[in-house]
Each structure stands twice: as structure tokens, then as C-alpha cells.
Amino acid sequence: MEYRSFSISVQGESHKRKHILMQDFSGHEDGEVKIAVVSDGHGDPNCFRSDRGSKIAVKVCMEGLQTFAEELLEQQERVEALAQDETNILRQLCIGIIGKWNLEILEDLDENPISTEELDRCDEGWKQSYQQGKMCNHIYGATLIGILLCKDYLLVVHQGDGRCVLVSKTGEFCEPVPWDEECEGNITTSLCSDNAAARMRVYSQRISETEPIAAVFAGSDGIEDSYSSHEVMYNFYREFCLEAVQNGLETTCRKYKEKELFQISAAGSGDDMSVAGIVNMEVLKAIATDLKNSLEISRNQEIARKARERMRSMERKRAYLEKREKEKKAARCEARACEESAEEKKKKLQEMLQEKIEKSVYFKREQQQEEKRLQGLEEELCRIEKTLFQLNQKYKERKQEFQKNFRAYKMLAGTVIQLFIGEETGERILENLEAEREQLLEMRQERKFFQDHYMELKESTEKKEEQCRDLQNRLQELIVQIQETEKELQQQEILLMECRRASKNAKEAAEQAEKERSDYEDEYRQYQDLYEKAIQYTETDNLCVLDKR
């Protein structure tokens, strides 16, 4: 059976857009020995010559596999040795490939020393290492997948990420090379690793006319990362095989190089894309119908998977919208309660303010009345003080006159009485004087009464003044309380406005959330119907394909 080899590499969409050199490289040998090799240079800025590293890797791998195959073809003892000690011989092959790659790296460094511009792209740690001549092979870091088909012997060597995919004669797909667990995400083992030869994985298989393979492919991680799963990635190789059967391998390779791979990169990983492989066109033609049916089933399964994912995503979004609606409604209720609380507090403050204003009016009225009473008392006090003053003056005058007259009358009374008017008349004069004296005493008592009344009025006036001052202080305290209450009421007004605004916003948000949830509910129900029909159709279609097979 005739096998054919091929290799294709194209620059990735993101690399082309960002003007980054293509770091993938591939090659093949389509003579008596079939060889297909893919190498992917690292995108790390510290590996700034990885594009050269991948080219050197493809070159030395093809040379190593070619030499290995020629020894198998020309030396029967080599075939016997391989049968007896395959593990050790293949390990020596890997060591040879890694060693030759490092030697080629050193030659390239001698011819092209590291420039200052290149060093400026590196991290400081790597820059110092490179300047000291340490770990310089890291500059050329790359992965490698090499496939050799020689007579009845299939060999695959693999270092780093990327995938090797084997298609059996029955159209079954598998990845024969064990996966390296250190390759995860953007992290990969490499040809520049210290233990590269020891970590290189190998796979070998005996084939024959009766047990052929349909194809074996090597693909860089740009292809793998463009698909959601390995099963979907296998569709890429199914499509390639069917295209090769329908239009021929050369036409298919040209189409993929000119158009298909770049489109897959643009829709997927954006990375450089490389695929190389060895195909058996006779076997592919024989299993073309199975490949087509498998492709159709896989596509239907992918449609169903995407529909399920979309359905789960919609269910999550639906649950989120329901939760969000509840939260917004709860926030609305909380805002409404806050607004009602603010309204109630405002009402209480208004009542308190009104009560204090009424109290202040009452105190003011009382103060005015007390001031009028005080004014009356002060006027009465002035009048009594004036009367008292007049009485004092009159009393002093009468007292002086009386004392003067009394002394004169007393001295002359006896003589006058005896000489002129007789004893009876003298006694009457003395009685009159005694009456005047009593009047004087009465006047003194009246004066004392007015003095006592004056003192009482004065004490009453002082008490009234004290009451007025007390009323004034209480009124002043009320005025301060009213001002504080008015200020608190203003703040409460602001808070109430904010609560009303928050309540309005919460209401609008709740209504919006309810509307979004309601709108999405319609979309969800529509898609649910479509999903159920799509799943039913897919299952029916897959059953039909299986029936055909």
C-alpha cells in the first residue's frame, strides 16, 4: 500500500495582525521513507529566536529519522537489535536529536551573536543569564513531533505540547503518544529543557499490508486550541481526510495552506497553525463513508453539546435574573420602609416643633403679662416712693415745728395758765399739744406703713423680675430647641428626599429587573422548545447515520 507524507504551516491570525514572526515550522520527506515533522517555537519574549529553533528542530529531526530509517533498511542486524532492545535504541535516537539540535544552536549563536536589541526584549533574570553565556539554548526554545514510516515500522517522537493523532484502518481516532502532564495551559516542556531527551515520549507500531493505518498526523497546539474538545478536533482531521479523498492530497494541502488553516486560526486560537502527516489514500478511500458518517455524528453531537451548554448558560442566567429580581424587590421594600420611617420621623419632628412653638408662644405671652405686672408694680412703687418721700418731708417739718412749739409751750405753760387764762384754759392748751403729738405719732405710723408697703412692693417687684428672667431663660432655651429642631427637620427633609430618590430608583430597578426577567423568560421558553427539537432531531439523525453504517 502506498503512503504519502505532507506538511503545512501558516502564520496565525493574531501573529499576522501583531506583526509577529511565524514561530511554527514543519517539513516532510515523501521518498521511500516517509517522514513528517512539526515544531512550534515558544511565544515567550525570552525565547526571541524560537522561529529559528523550530526550523533547526525540523531539520535535525528529519535527518535523525532519515538516518535511523536507512540503518533499518540497510542493516538486518539493526532490525534484529531493534526487536530485542527497542526502548534503549529509541532513547539513543532521542538523545541524538536533542544533542544535534543543541549543536546547531551553538553554531547559530557563533554566527549570529545576541544583539543588544534582542536582550532588551528579555526579563532581567534571563538577560543576565544570556550575557553570562548560560542557558542560551532557551533563546531557541521549541516543541517537536516527528513521525517516521519505514517499511512495516511506524515511529513517533514527541517533546512538548501539540498532538499526534492516529487514524486506524476502521476510521477510529486515538492519540498514541502518552501525554506529558507538565504541559498545561501555556506551560510546556521543550527541546531546551535540561532533561529534554529523558522526557521525550516515543510510540512505535508494526504495520503490514493486512494491518495498515489510514493516517497519522502531527498538529501544533494552535490547532488543538482552536477546538473545544479532542473529539471536535478530530473533525478537523476527518475533514482533511475526506477532502484528500475527494480532491487529492496536493490540492487539499494547497487549499489548507492558502485559506483553511488561517480561517481556523482566526476563528479559534489565533496562533500559528502547523499540520504534517502520513496518509494511506487507499485505506482513506475505503473508510471515507465511515469518516463522513463519524463526522456527521460528531457534528451533531457538537451541536447538541453547544445546545446543552447554551441551555445551561440560559438556565444560569435565568436563575441569576430571578435572584436579581428578588434582590431588587427586597431593596425596593427596604427603600420603601426607609422612606416611611423617614416620613414618620419627619411628622414627629413637625409635631415636636409645633408643640415647642406653641409653648414658646405661651411663655412669650406669660412673659409679656409678667412684664406688664412688673411695670404696674414699678409704677406703684414709684408712686409710693414719691408719697413716702412727701410724707417724710411733711413729717420732718411737722416734727420740727411740734418740737419747737412743744418746748416753748411747756416752758411757758404754767406761767401763762396762772397769770392770764387760768388753770382750766392752760390744761386745754396742753391737751391740744398732746393731740398734735398724737397726730404726729399717727403720721409716723402712716409713714411706717407706707415704708413697709414699699418694702413689700420692692420684694414683690424683685420676685417678678426674677420670674421674668426665668421666663426669659426658658424662652431662650425653647428658641434654641426650636432652632435645633428646625435644623434636624431640614436634615430629615434631605434624608427623606434621598429616601424617596432611592425608593424611586429601587422601584425602577425592580421594574427593570422584572422586565428583563420576563423578557428573558420568553427567550428561554423559545430556546427551550428549539433545544428539545434540536436534541430530538440530533438523536434521530445519529440513529439514521448508524443505521446506514
Side-chain angles (χ1 to χ4, degrees):
M1 289 187 177
E2 183 181 358
Y3 289 90
R4 300 284 307 279
S5 61
F6 72 94
S7 61
I8 313 166
S9 291
V10 300
Q11 187 180 21
E13 184 274 334
S14 66
H15 286 195
K16 190 172 184 178
R17 175 165 37 85
K18 296 175 183 177
H19 306 290
I20 299 173
L21 290 174
M22 184 170 73
Q23 294 152 346
D24 277 15
F25 197 74
S26 61
H28 68 281
E29 176 62 46
D30 199 26
E32 183 180 1
V33 174
K34 310 298 179 182
I35 299 173
V37 182
V38 165
S39 180
D40 179 6
H42 303 329
D44 188 341
N46 300 307
C47 305
F48 48 80
R49 290 187 184 176
S50 63
D51 58 317
R52 296 190 204 177
S54 62
K55 291 176 183 177
I56 294 171
V58 170
K59 175 176 175 291
V60 299
C61 184
M62 289 182 67
E63 290 174 354
L65 292 176
Q66 183 71 38
T67 301
F68 180 79
E70 288 173 356
E71 290 176 355
L72 288 180
L73 290 172
E74 296 173 2
Q75 302 175 20
Q76 183 61 34
E77 62 272 16
R78 187 68 169 170
V79 176
E80 294 172 357
L82 181 64
Q84 293 175 0
D85 193 10
E86 183 181 35
T87 301
N88 188 48
I89 292 174
L90 294 181
R91 184 54 53 200
Q92 292 302 317
L93 171 64
C94 294
I95 292 171
I97 292 173
I98 298 297
K100 186 69 185 304
W101 182 78
N102 279 291
L103 288 174
E104 294 271 354
I105 293 301
L106 293 175
E107 290 179 8
D108 188 78
L109 280 171
D110 288 339
E111 295 175 5
N112 304 284
I114 302 171
S115 67
T116 304
E117 183 181 354
E118 288 176 321
L119 286 174
D120 289 341
R121 304 177 200 165
C122 303
D123 297 338
E124 192 60 34
W126 285 106
K127 183 177 181 179
Q128 291 178 5
S129 296
Y130 296 157
Q131 287 173 334
Q132 295 169 6
K134 298 178 181 179
M135 302 179 70
C136 290
N137 64 343
H138 189 84
I139 298 169
Y140 297 82
T143 64
L144 177 68
I145 305 175
I147 304 172
L148 166 68
L149 182 61
C150 175
K151 283 189 176 180
D152 60 349
Y153 189 70
L154 173 67
L155 173 65
V156 181
V157 293
H158 192 169
Q159 175 64 12
D161 57 17
R163 295 286 175 174
C164 176
V165 177
L166 178 68
V167 186
S168 70
K169 66 177 182 177
T170 58
E172 299 295 328
F173 281 71
C174 69
E175 295 174 27
V177 182
W179 182 246
D180 189 339
E181 295 300 330
E182 290 191 17
C183 298
E184 184 176 356
N186 292 327
I187 300 173
T188 179
T189 51
S190 171
L191 294 172
C192 66
S193 301
D194 293 337
N195 56 350
R199 292 202 65 86
M200 185 174 279
R201 294 104 68 201
V202 297
Y203 170 78
S204 62
Q205 177 183 335
R206 296 288 177 175
I207 59 176
S208 64
E209 292 288 331
T210 57
E211 292 294 330
I213 59 170
V216 58
F217 297 99
S220 64
D221 64 345
I223 293 176
E224 176 189 356
D225 294 342
S226 295
Y227 297 95
S228 59
S229 67
H230 288 193
E231 182 59 36
V232 181
M233 178 187 69
Y234 295 158
N235 288 344
F236 166 82
Y237 296 108
R238 289 187 181 102
E239 290 170 352
F240 184 91
C241 292
L242 291 171
E243 187 80 22
V245 169
Q246 184 176 352
N247 300 317
L249 183 60
E250 291 81 2
T251 302
T252 301
C253 289
R254 187 166 54 252
K255 178 181 177 182
Y256 272 70
K257 186 174 183 63
E258 294 174 355
K259 180 180 177 183
E260 294 292 330
L261 286 180
F262 183 81
Q263 289 181 346
I264 294 170
S265 174
S269 65
D271 198 2
D272 294 337
M273 310 284 278
S274 289
V275 59
I278 301 170
V279 297
N280 187 321
M281 297 304 295
E282 291 181 22
V283 177
L284 287 179
K285 289 176 182 178
I287 64 173
T289 301
D290 291 336
L291 288 175
K292 186 176 180 180
N293 292 337
S294 298
L295 178 61
E296 190 173 353
I297 290 173
S298 180
R299 283 174 175 171
N300 288 337
Q301 289 173 342
E302 180 63 9
I303 290 170
R305 184 192 66 79
K306 287 181 177 179
R308 279 191 291 271
E309 285 185 358
R310 174 77 188 281
M311 196 66 201
R312 283 194 291 269
S313 173
M314 292 187 77
E315 286 172 351
R316 288 193 296 270
K317 185 174 180 180
R318 180 190 184 196
Y320 163 75
L321 288 173
E322 288 176 350
K323 181 181 176 183
R324 183 165 168 263
E325 182 185 5
K326 289 179 182 178
E327 289 174 351
K328 294 298 181 183
K329 285 183 177 179
R332 179 185 178 185
C333 292
E334 186 178 347
R336 189 182 297 158
C338 181
E339 182 183 359
E340 290 174 355
S341 174
E343 285 276 9
E344 184 66 25
K345 189 172 181 180
K346 178 189 172 184
K347 186 178 178 182
K348 287 181 179 180
L349 284 171
Q350 286 175 334
E351 291 174 355
M352 189 187 301
L353 180 62
Q354 186 62 32
E355 182 182 348
K356 287 180 179 179
I357 289 173
E358 290 174 357
K359 201 170 183 180
S360 69
V361 170
Y362 168 76
F363 279 132
K364 199 167 185 180
R365 189 166 54 248
E366 284 290 313
Q367 184 189 17
Q368 289 172 352
Q369 290 175 357
E370 290 296 330
E371 285 176 349
K372 285 181 181 180
R373 294 191 191 98
L374 180 61
Q375 187 179 358
L377 286 172
E378 288 175 345
E379 290 174 355
E380 180 70 16
L381 190 64
C382 289
R383 186 181 63 78
I384 292 174
E385 192 174 17
K386 187 177 179 181
T387 304
L388 186 61
F389 178 75
Q390 292 172 352
L391 283 172
N392 281 335
Q393 289 295 107
K394 189 177 179 181
Y395 174 75
K396 286 178 182 179
E397 291 173 359
R398 290 287 299 275
K399 183 179 180 182
Q400 290 174 0
E401 185 181 353
F402 174 78
Q403 288 175 348
K404 182 179 178 182
N405 293 334
F406 185 76
R407 282 193 297 270
Y409 286 148
K410 197 170 185 180
M411 290 172 59
L412 298 175
T415 306
V416 173
I417 291 170
Q418 292 176 4
L419 291 177
F420 299 102
I421 56 176
E423 187 175 353
E424 184 177 347
T425 305
E427 287 178 358
R428 281 198 303 269
I429 292 170
L430 289 175
E431 287 176 359
N432 290 336
L433 285 171
E434 189 64 29
E436 284 186 15
R437 183 173 173 274
E438 288 178 359
Q439 287 178 0
L440 187 62
L441 289 173
E442 289 177 359
M443 188 179 290
R444 181 188 291 175
Q445 289 177 353
E446 185 180 2
R447 189 190 68 168
K448 188 175 181 305
F449 169 76
F450 274 105
Q451 284 179 340
D452 293 341
H453 186 53
Y454 172 78
M455 293 304 295
E456 289 176 359
L457 283 173
K458 193 172 182 180
E459 289 177 2
S460 179
T461 302
E462 289 175 353
K463 287 181 181 179
K464 289 294 180 185
E465 286 177 348
E466 184 66 28
Q467 288 178 359
C468 285
R469 282 194 296 271
D470 183 57
L471 282 170
Q472 183 67 30
N473 292 335
R474 293 172 69 182
L475 183 62
Q476 193 62 36
E477 289 176 1
L478 268 176
I479 290 171
V480 172
Q481 290 178 8
I482 288 169
Q483 289 174 348
E484 291 176 352
T485 306
E486 286 176 342
K487 186 177 179 181
E488 190 176 354
L489 187 60
Q490 288 175 354
Q491 293 174 349
Q492 191 63 28
E493 283 281 2
I494 294 170
L495 178 62
L496 180 58
M497 289 175 64
E498 291 176 355
C499 287
R500 284 173 179 168
R501 191 181 302 113
S503 179
K504 182 181 178 183
N505 293 340
K507 180 181 178 182
E508 291 174 354
E511 290 173 351
Q512 179 65 24
E514 185 177 4
K515 184 177 181 301
E516 287 180 10
R517 198 266 310 154
S518 178
D519 293 345
Y520 195 77
E521 192 71 32
D522 295 338
E523 182 182 351
Y524 173 81
R525 282 195 293 268
Q526 290 174 5
Y527 190 80
Q528 189 177 33
D529 295 338
L530 291 174
Y531 166 75
E532 290 173 356
K533 291 177 182 177
I535 294 297
Q536 185 179 2
Y537 170 78
T538 302
E539 291 173 351
T540 304
D541 196 31
N542 285 350
L543 287 173
C544 292
V545 172
L546 291 171
D547 288 342
K548 290 179 184 177
R549 294 175 65 179

